[in-house]
Amino acid sequence: MGFELYNTVVRRVEPLVVGDGSRVTFYTCGPTVYDDAHIGNFRAFLAADVLRRWLESPMCEVVDESGRVHGGPRRVVHVMNITDVGHMTDDEQADGGGQDKMQAAAMRIAEAKKSGKLLGDGDGVGVDPSDPYAIAAFYADRFLEDAKMLGLKVAIEAEDEPELMPRPTQKIDQMIVMIQRLIERGHAYVTGQGQENGAVYFDVSSYGDYGKLSGNTLDALRAGAGGRVSQDQTAQKKHAGDFLLWKADPSHLMKWDSPWGAGYPGWHLECSAMALEALAGGLDGAGVIDLHSGGEDNIFPHHECEMAQSCCATGSERFARCWFHARHLMIEGEKMSKSKGNYYTARDLFGRGIQPAALRLELIKTHYRTNANFTMQGLKDSQRIVDRWRRVAVAFKEGVEPDEQGEEMLRSFAHAMDDDLNVSGAIGVFNSWLSGVGEPTAADAAAVRLIDDVLGTLELVEAEHTETAIGVLGPGVEPDAAIEGLLNQRKEARAAKDFARADEIRGELEELGLEIRDLPEGRVQVSLAGG
């Protein structure tokens, strides 16, 4: 039956069924841009990217709703949001308790500036911490840089088609219309109408399938705690599990006028409004998309709430035909944590000289439904594997078809990928075949390139770095005693908290046409200005 994939909503592997065999609609929950995305985030994003690439491969077959099998290639319309409003620090609560993430970012940047930790535009010194739009734009740009370095196709396409990566602050009107629809249909209600702390809640008891995605039951749901809603507001809920669609708060950092008072949307609402508009014809369209992805932490409450409000607003029995979730990423066998010192962003690793292709392979090579364990040794192994692939791929120009042995390997590769996107098994087949390749032929090179269209490693730009005692020199920067002397002086000034002198030295380096970025453990990355 072709490609089979685990569907979270039915809890089993089943043939991927799409509405149109020649076109697949795919929505991915993207980053909240209040900080740099860490590699755990990118594991989920890259799992979605590999899924998208497999669907586009000529080796992939899917089934449409009439039961017909369709071979590839096909067009995948992939949309990923960039969240710039409404997301709270306590994601596990349906109401999103705790603190607004943009406010958390504002406080962090303000404190870092005060202590002198942020030095240079590349690290946020030019960002006004009182301007949430500037904070969001700063981190969104950094995310897009990292995403393109790692070959995320939707980020690359968004350069020419920005609508593929919509932002909630640009879609407030659509969210308000959706809330009005839910109220009209009896799925939402208003509390504290006309009051400064009023709210609109989704009525979970009005949707019979609430809990179907996550396995939660209404009886098991409890009211969220935290700073977002008061006890008085919680008491006004019809059910403890009802979740916010709109929060009236005229004092909030980011707010908009609405029929229910100046305020901001609930963080679940944004994805429903944007996915329906971009992929399903809006509230009055089909109401169904083919695929929806995210990390496993999105299943509840975020995706559960998305499914409920979307189905109730459109009248459709389902929001997505298939729900795809990647599991967590461990670091050297432990949970990633800043306090443990094992918290990595993509740009941290790039700054240490890690090649994007090696990082991408390290993050995709474990089956998406198992917890992956990221290790520095694994990164080195991934780099060696990529180097091996590259030597074969570049041996000959394109234009030659794989030979009989290559075709057999490709069939085995496809069989593994069709089995719930078993990337680890597919890579094993690929590497086993490659170990039998002696002097590579044009047919071998063609087979490697066809595989890498799915894995997406060899297309990535190789970062050129030179390791020195004090830091990493970027492309075009040659080791120089005078430069290293200035870097040592700056390091000593920072250690002595003489930030004025550190700034002077940064200025001297800029006069030499160099930009610097601080790395962990007191090291720096040095790049050509504008490079």
Side-chain angles (χ1 to χ4, degrees):
M1 291 294 290
F3 180 33
E4 295 190 331
L5 193 66
Y6 185 86
N7 189 351
T8 304
V9 76
V10 296
R11 295 172 180 76
R12 65 174 179 266
V13 175
E14 62 180 13
L16 178 64
V17 178
V18 299
D20 180 350
S22 63
R23 178 180 180 270
V24 176
T25 52
F26 188 0
Y27 186 87
T28 293
C29 277
T32 300
V33 283
Y34 78 116
D35 203 346
D36 290 326
H38 57 67
I39 58 174
N41 301 138
F42 273 111
R43 191 208 180 194
F45 301 150
L46 290 172
D49 185 70
V50 172
L51 171 55
R52 180 249 174 97
R53 287 169 180 263
W54 180 239
L55 289 168
E56 292 176 333
S57 171
M59 295 183 280
C60 179
E61 293 182 341
V62 298
V63 180
D64 70 18
E65 292 194 309
S66 67
R68 291 174 298 182
V69 178
H70 296 260
R74 63 189 54 81
R75 180 174 180 240
V76 178
V77 184
H78 192 188
V79 173
M80 172 190 276
N81 64 296
I82 293 183
T83 295
D84 57 358
V85 66
H87 200 158
M88 311 302 284
T89 53
D90 295 343
D91 288 350
E92 72 278 4
Q93 299 173 20
D95 275 339
Q99 185 181 32
D100 184 291
K101 288 191 172 182
M102 298 310 298
Q103 288 183 313
M107 293 174 63
R108 186 181 67 250
I109 290 174
E111 180 59 32
K113 282 189 170 189
K114 183 178 178 181
S115 65
K117 292 180 181 177
L118 293 182
L119 298 168
D121 289 341
D123 294 321
V125 75
V127 179
D128 180 356
S130 67
D131 183 352
Y133 293 94
I135 294 170
F138 173 71
Y139 284 115
D141 287 345
R142 287 163 73 92
F143 170 76
L144 290 170
E145 289 172 3
D146 294 344
K148 286 182 282 189
M149 288 283 286
L150 287 169
L152 205 66
K153 290 189 77 171
V154 66
I156 296 167
E157 292 173 339
E159 290 186 1
D160 297 321
E161 302 176 76
E163 66 274 11
L164 295 176
M165 300 193 80
R167 306 189 187 194
T169 52
Q170 301 167 355
K171 303 295 180 180
I172 299 297
D173 290 344
Q174 290 88 330
M175 294 185 219
I176 289 174
V177 170
M178 189 169 179
I179 294 171
Q180 291 172 321
R181 172 75 66 88
L182 290 168
I183 294 172
E184 291 166 1
R185 294 190 172 186
H187 295 293
Y189 57 93
V190 183
T191 65
Q193 180 71 52
Q195 300 177 16
E196 286 194 353
N197 63 347
V200 183
Y201 284 102
F202 181 87
D203 183 355
V204 295
S205 62
S206 74
Y207 178 57
D209 280 340
Y210 193 80
K212 184 177 181 180
L213 183 67
S214 63
N216 282 308
T217 64
L218 293 184
D219 290 340
L221 297 176
R222 294 182 298 172
R228 191 177 207 188
V229 294
S230 66
Q231 289 184 345
D232 289 342
Q233 288 175 303
T234 299
Q236 296 178 53
K237 289 185 178 184
K238 292 182 179 180
H239 186 281
D242 292 351
F243 58 87
L244 276 167
L245 297 173
W246 189 267
K247 177 71 168 66
D249 184 355
S251 66
H252 195 263
L253 194 64
M254 303 177 82
K255 57 184 177 294
W256 295 265
D257 290 332
S258 83
W260 315 286
Y264 55 98
W267 72 276
H268 311 300
L269 188 67
E270 61 183 62
C271 288
S272 290
M274 292 188 291
L276 287 170
E277 179 186 56
L279 299 172
L283 291 179
D284 297 316
V288 184
I289 63 175
D290 291 317
L291 277 161
H292 196 312
S293 78
E296 66 174 333
D297 55 320
N298 289 141
I299 297 173
F300 187 85
H302 189 44
H303 287 171
E304 190 76 74
C305 296
E306 270 191 68
M307 186 169 77
Q309 65 200 10
S310 299
C311 290
C312 290
T314 64
S316 175
E317 292 185 0
R318 54 188 173 176
F319 176 36
R321 293 182 174 89
C322 181
W323 291 84
F324 174 85
H325 294 101
R327 295 203 66 187
H328 292 301
L329 180 72
M330 308 296 286
I331 307 295
E332 304 284 357
E334 293 188 305
K335 186 176 181 180
M336 182 162 48
S337 167
K338 288 184 178 180
S339 63
K340 292 180 180 178
N342 66 352
Y343 183 95
Y344 298 118
T345 68
R347 59 183 48 226
D348 286 338
L349 296 172
F350 297 154
R352 295 183 181 198
I354 300 301
Q355 297 292 335
L359 179 55
R360 180 183 171 99
L361 180 58
E362 181 67 10
L363 294 177
I364 68 171
K365 69 184 184 184
T366 304
H367 194 279
Y368 75 94
R369 280 201 296 123
T370 62
N371 285 332
N373 187 33
F374 176 90
T375 68
M376 288 300 172
Q377 182 58 51
L379 262 182
K380 294 177 182 177
D381 294 341
S382 291
Q383 182 64 64
R384 283 194 290 268
I385 292 170
V386 170
D387 290 343
R388 184 184 180 197
W389 294 351
R390 183 171 279 115
R391 283 194 295 271
V392 178
V394 303
F396 295 89
K397 295 181 179 179
E398 297 183 28
V400 176
E401 296 296 322
D403 61 18
E404 185 175 341
Q405 288 182 324
E407 290 285 359
E408 183 178 350
M409 179 274 294
L410 291 172
R411 285 191 292 272
S412 296
F413 180 92
H415 181 73
M417 293 296 287
D418 279 343
D419 181 15
D420 193 24
L421 206 72
N422 186 0
V423 176
S424 57
I427 291 174
V429 166
F430 180 37
N431 283 335
S432 178
W433 166 80
L434 202 60
S435 66
V437 172
E439 186 68 25
T441 66
D444 297 331
V448 172
R449 286 193 292 267
L450 193 58
I451 292 294
D452 198 66
D453 285 344
V454 178
L455 301 180
T457 60
L458 304 184
E459 66 196 43
L460 303 184
V461 175
E462 292 188 76
E464 299 176 11
H465 296 93
T466 302
E467 291 280 352
T468 69
I470 196 168
V472 179
L473 307 184
V477 182
E478 299 295 330
D480 182 278
I483 293 173
E484 291 211 23
L486 287 172
L487 292 173
N488 276 314
Q489 291 177 40
R490 179 175 176 273
K491 183 177 180 180
E492 293 170 359
R494 284 169 60 82
K497 298 190 182 301
D498 186 355
F499 298 116
R501 175 57 185 152
D503 276 342
E504 289 177 5
I505 296 171
R506 178 185 286 274
E508 292 176 37
L509 290 165
E510 288 176 349
E511 289 178 4
L512 296 174
L514 301 174
E515 292 179 349
I516 60 174
R517 184 167 72 87
D518 293 300
L519 303 174
E521 302 169 357
R523 300 170 75 248
V524 295
Q525 179 178 355
V526 186
S527 306
L528 293 177

